[in-house]
Amino acid sequence: MRACIFTSDIDKTAVQKEKVLEDIAPSVKAAPDNIYVTGYGWPSARSTQRKIYPLENRNSLKMKVCCTLLGAVDRNRWIPSRVARIPLLMIQEEVIETILSFAPDAMIFHGLRWGEELNSMVKRHLPDLPCLSGERDALDSIHWRKYDSEIKVSIVLPTYNGAKYIRTSIDSCLAQTHTNLEVIVVDDCSTDDTPDIVKSYSDPRIKYIRHSENQKLPRSLNTGFKNADGHFLTWTSDDNIFHKEAVEVMLKFLLTYPETGFVYTDLHHIDDHSNVFEYFSVGPVESLRKTNLIGACFLYPRKVYEEIGEYDASAFLAEDYDYWIRISKKFKMQRLRVPLYYFRIHKDSLTSKFGRLGTDEAGEVGKIVKKRHKIG
């Protein structure tokens, strides 16, 4: 069970979130890690805790003004709560996107004078989402996110001399809570022990394809997806790790919101020894106009692949950036503020060798991609 609390006091509620949940909705049984706290306002420079604001990474005067107006309505009893409808209407896209980003089973409004106005707005956009407010607002059963365990998911895993980490990567795919999947390992002519490691697995869900000559990442991805028969698709790298619930959480979101064509999530950065050292928050879709903040954990239905086509081989080092831009022009994309992936930072990775998008060789290719799509 996942619950999202929208509050007027993020700092206080973040500390007392389990108590708030019990006071308002005792029938909602959620583990602490699945209770998310957000609200209106602006991040405090003094805050040391990671908190999510609806307007985060959207630094515009309009949004700051709206937060000020919402705060005024919240603090002053002489201002009718219905006045909050005006700023809420102005920033409804950002607020709804934030709520969606937690993929909640239940939405809880806490300590807001204009909670009913917010409730009404959410109901217009998300009519199936249970919304709770007030004291002891219990629901006997909340089971909202759709799920079908029989749906097949294809994970393409391109590799080139990935023997050092590939076993960990494959294991993370096979350990998914959503078990109906296939892992298509595309070996781009490795010269190390990669073939032997892959062939040591007896799991029938693994497909192994080896190129006769090195063709680089974009063509390896195209080889993998040509041989994929899943209803939903994704790909991962030979040095990175999926959280065990990654596929299930993303699949549930896409099934619940079929109008969404692509979902992507936050992640952790890990070192050579798989130790977490940094949290990475993916950016909103509009950030694609500047750089690639989509991250490395994503899922999309087959219809997107059939519409968008193959990865561009000429965009090596920015092939994903180019693909995400192409998707964004035709499909709705939604981020999830849940860390479901472990991205390894090490000296032999493509990121270390060629730079992140915006710097070095990858940056130069990124500039070409942006020019081609007339953005930035």
Side-chain angles (χ1 to χ4, degrees):
M1 178 65 66
R2 180 175 285 115
C4 182
I5 302 173
F6 197 106
T7 180
S8 60
D9 191 338
I10 292 181
D11 289 325
K12 182 178 180 181
T13 307
V15 175
Q16 301 179 340
K17 58 184 181 180
E18 293 176 76
K19 183 178 184 302
V20 170
L21 195 65
E22 177 60 28
D23 288 344
I24 294 179
S27 66
V28 178
K29 304 301 181 183
D33 290 344
N34 282 333
I35 306 173
Y36 300 94
V37 179
T38 187
Y40 74 95
W42 214 252
S44 169
R46 298 187 304 273
S47 177
T48 58
Q49 290 186 321
R50 178 179 170 274
K51 303 178 180 67
I52 306 300
Y53 291 77
L55 313 183
E56 190 178 31
N57 299 323
R58 295 178 169 96
N59 296 314
S60 74
L61 178 60
K62 179 195 75 171
M63 296 170 190
K64 290 186 177 181
V65 168
C66 288
C67 279
T68 301
L69 290 173
L70 291 172
V73 175
D74 224 12
R75 290 188 300 269
N76 298 286
R77 296 288 171 179
W78 53 269
I79 303 178
S81 62
R82 63 179 178 272
V83 173
R85 295 175 188 173
I86 299 172
L88 281 175
L89 183 63
M90 294 175 65
I91 59 173
Q92 61 180 338
E93 181 179 341
E94 290 79 18
V95 173
I96 294 299
E97 194 273 341
T98 297
I99 292 173
L100 281 174
S101 73
F102 298 110
D105 295 296
M107 190 70 207
I108 297 168
F109 305 118
H110 176 65
L112 299 171
R113 283 196 63 230
W114 37 269
E116 287 304 316
E117 283 70 24
L118 178 57
N119 192 340
S120 297
M121 185 186 80
V122 172
K123 281 297 184 184
R124 288 197 302 272
H125 291 269
L126 308 173
D128 295 324
L129 175 61
C131 295
L132 314 177
S133 61
E135 296 296 321
R136 309 295 292 185
D137 191 355
L139 293 181
D140 293 332
S141 176
I142 296 178
H143 186 73
W144 173 54
R145 288 175 293 163
K146 298 178 181 178
Y147 180 55
D148 184 350
S149 61
E150 298 303 313
I151 289 179
K152 189 172 185 178
V153 174
S154 296
I155 304 174
V156 174
L157 200 167
T159 183
Y160 173 68
N161 289 345
K164 185 175 182 180
Y165 301 111
I166 193 170
R167 187 178 294 279
T168 303
S169 181
I170 292 175
D171 288 346
S172 77
C173 296
L174 299 178
Q176 290 297 297
T177 55
H178 182 83
T179 58
N180 189 13
L181 52 81
E182 61 178 359
V183 183
I184 305 169
V185 180
V186 182
D187 185 351
D188 200 21
C189 206
S190 295
T191 58
D192 63 359
D193 294 334
T194 295
D196 293 334
I197 293 174
V198 179
K199 291 176 182 178
S200 71
Y201 285 87
S202 59
D203 195 310
R205 294 177 295 173
I206 295 179
K207 294 181 181 179
Y208 178 65
I209 303 170
R210 180 177 171 86
H211 285 161
S212 58
E213 60 181 31
N214 187 269
Q215 299 184 40
K216 295 188 177 180
L217 178 57
R219 288 193 174 94
S220 294
L221 291 172
N222 293 336
T223 295
F225 287 117
K226 283 179 182 177
N227 288 274
D229 56 16
H231 301 93
F232 289 82
L233 310 172
T234 187
W235 63 270
T236 187
S237 300
D238 59 12
D239 50 359
N240 296 332
I241 303 171
F242 276 119
H243 184 284
K244 66 179 181 179
E245 295 182 347
V247 171
E248 181 176 340
V249 171
M250 292 189 289
L251 180 59
K252 283 180 177 178
F253 188 92
L254 290 173
L255 293 177
T256 302
Y257 297 103
E259 70 277 8
T260 302
F262 185 96
V263 65
Y264 57 106
T265 84
D266 284 355
L267 52 86
H268 292 291
H269 284 152
I270 59 176
D271 61 20
D272 281 3
H273 305 290
S274 300
N275 298 311
V276 174
F277 68 88
E278 185 179 38
Y279 189 108
F280 179 80
S281 295
V282 294
V285 175
E286 55 265 32
S287 66
L288 280 171
R289 298 193 63 83
K290 295 183 179 180
T291 189
N292 184 6
L293 292 178
I294 299 301
C297 185
F298 46 83
L299 188 70
Y300 50 95
R302 175 167 287 276
K303 66 180 180 182
V304 172
Y305 169 68
E306 293 172 347
E307 176 74 18
I308 302 301
E310 296 187 330
Y311 285 80
D312 186 349
S314 68
F316 174 57
L317 300 180
E319 62 283 316
D320 54 347
Y321 186 42
D322 171 76
Y323 208 71
W324 310 155
I325 293 172
R326 288 155 58 192
I327 291 176
S328 70
K329 292 180 177 181
K330 295 188 176 183
F331 295 92
K332 181 180 178 181
M333 302 173 72
Q334 175 64 50
R335 60 177 170 170
L336 296 186
R337 309 308 297 270
V338 185
L340 296 175
Y341 198 76
Y342 300 89
F343 187 92
R344 194 182 304 276
I345 305 295
H346 60 99
K347 62 181 179 62
D348 295 321
S349 67
L350 286 178
T351 300
S352 298
K353 289 180 178 179
F354 299 104
R356 295 176 183 272
L357 194 62
T359 62
D360 305 327
E361 292 183 53
E364 293 304 312
V365 181
K367 290 177 182 178
I368 295 173
V369 168
K370 291 169 73 173
K371 184 176 181 180
R372 180 189 304 162
H373 291 289
K374 300 179 181 180
I375 62 174

